Structure formats: structure tokens, C-alpha cells
Amino acid sequence: GIVLSSIILFIFFLTFSLLEYYGQFNVKTRMILFWSFMLILFVLIIWTIILPLLKINKIGKTLTHQNAGKIIGEHFEEIDDKIINVIQLDEMNKKDNDLIQASINKKTSLLNRIKFNGAIDFKKTKAFSKWLLIPCSIILLFFVTGKDYILKESSARIIKYNTLFEPNIPFDFVFNQKLETIQFEDFYLSFK
């Protein structure tokens, strides 16, 4: 979730910053960009942080033991339906039947030999995290080439969306002399 959220946020940050830098939008458009980014951030926080934390703390819709057993059985062929059998036997065990308890103990000892950390596929996460390198490399490229002002200025304008910014003029004035004179005398200014 963190990798996916980072990829999405970096892509939107780059897109919105470049759009603002080259478009130099008005207050309303910058407000839309700002609140769109905040909405995306809010949805990602809920989707990748809050909902998983709620599930870990068993708040809201959770899996039944039967469903969890089926999912685990799908990941491990050697388990198959042993977990479901143990759960069903445990439900029958409410009457303290010694035969059922012995069967549960035997199946549990078989399950103890299986390493469940094999269910987590870190190769998928590593492969997915390679996509994070693309937006990070682009951002790093802006800083290495000295064009970081593009991201800094445009993101500052988006954050201060309700401030009026005048577009930069496409030329410079070069003065050929000092800008000093005696008070109340005429001053002739030459420039390029």
C-alpha cells in the first residue's frame, strides 16, 4: 500500500506541478489542482492505512474462520482443507469429546510443520516498487539539472492557490548606468 500510494502521489505531484508551471493558471484552477491533490491524498490514506489498521484490529467486516481457512488452503497445497476440518472439529468439540480432541491435536501438529511466511510474496512487492523509481528519478533529475525551481515555484503557487500571481514577463531590462541622481533633477534612463 505504501509503495502504491507513493507512486500515485509522486505522479500527481509531478503532473500538477508541471501543469501549473507551464500553464500559470488562475486562482480557480489552482484551487481545483490543490483540492484534487488533497482528495487523492485523503483517499489513499484511508485505502492504504486506515482500512488495513481497522482490519488488523478486527473492526468492521472481517473474515470468518472458515473463509480464512479456505484462503490459507489456496496458498498452501499441503494444507488443503485441514484447517477447515480443524475448525469444524473444534466447533463439534464443545461437548468435550476425547476422540474429537485427539483428531484436532493430530491435525494441528501437521500444520505446525508448515512455514506460513512463505505466503508473503516479497518478489511482487520488489517488482512493484521498481515503478516507484520512475517518478523519483524524474524528480531527482529536476534537482540534478538545476531545474528544481520548476517544481518548487509551481507547487508553492498551488499551495497558495488563493493568492494572485502575476505571470513572469518573457524579457529582462538591462540598465546601462547607475540608478542614482540628484533630487528634483531630470534623469535620463537608457536601457536594453
Side-chain angles (χ1 to χ4, degrees):
I2 292 171
V3 173
L4 179 63
S5 298
S6 300
I7 291 170
I8 292 170
L9 287 176
F10 281 144
I11 288 172
F12 275 102
F13 169 74
L14 280 171
T15 304
F16 287 0
S17 294
L18 291 174
L19 283 172
E20 167 54 29
Y21 183 77
Y22 290 109
Q24 295 189 1
F25 299 124
N26 59 17
V27 172
K28 192 174 187 177
T29 307
R30 286 197 315 267
M31 179 184 74
I32 292 170
L33 290 176
F34 176 78
W35 287 110
S36 297
F37 189 82
M38 295 309 287
L39 179 67
I40 292 165
L41 178 65
F42 180 71
V43 167
L44 286 174
I45 287 173
I46 289 174
W47 181 42
T48 61
I49 296 172
I50 294 175
L51 289 179
L53 285 175
L54 291 175
K55 287 181 182 179
I56 287 172
N57 293 315
K58 298 179 182 175
I59 299 171
K61 184 180 178 187
T62 57
L63 288 174
T64 64
H65 293 294
Q66 298 272 351
N67 290 340
K70 286 179 187 175
I71 292 171
I72 293 171
E74 289 172 5
H75 284 286
F76 297 97
E77 293 174 12
E78 59 272 15
I79 291 178
D80 197 25
D81 62 347
K82 290 178 181 137
I83 291 180
I84 295 172
N85 291 342
V86 170
I87 293 169
Q88 290 169 344
L89 287 172
D90 186 49
E91 290 171 358
M92 293 170 55
N93 192 27
K94 303 299 182 205
K95 300 171 190 164
D96 283 331
N97 190 335
D98 290 335
L99 183 62
I100 294 175
Q101 187 60 43
S103 178
I104 290 173
N105 290 340
K106 182 178 180 187
K107 290 187 183 292
T108 304
S109 67
L110 291 173
L111 293 174
N112 284 337
R113 294 185 214 145
I114 298 168
K115 296 185 180 194
F116 286 99
N117 58 359
I120 301 171
D121 190 4
F122 287 109
K123 290 179 183 177
K124 286 183 182 177
T125 305
K126 286 181 184 177
F128 196 64
S129 63
K130 291 177 185 176
W131 289 99
L132 183 60
L133 292 175
I134 295 171
C136 289
S137 300
I138 294 171
I139 291 172
L140 184 65
L141 188 65
F142 276 102
F143 282 90
V144 169
T145 59
K147 303 278 186 182
D148 56 312
Y149 63 89
I150 292 175
L151 298 178
K152 289 179 181 178
E153 289 176 7
S154 59
S155 58
R157 286 195 305 259
I158 292 172
I159 291 171
K160 300 176 186 177
Y161 65 86
N162 54 354
T163 304
L164 181 64
F165 290 97
E166 292 294 327
N168 295 334
I169 55 174
F171 54 86
D172 292 322
F173 289 107
V174 179
F175 299 107
N176 296 330
Q177 64 205 54
K178 289 184 178 181
L179 299 176
E180 297 175 0
T181 187
I182 300 173
Q183 189 174 7
F184 302 116
E185 287 192 11
D186 291 340
F187 180 76
Y188 295 99
L189 177 66
S190 65
F191 60 91
K192 294 181 184 176

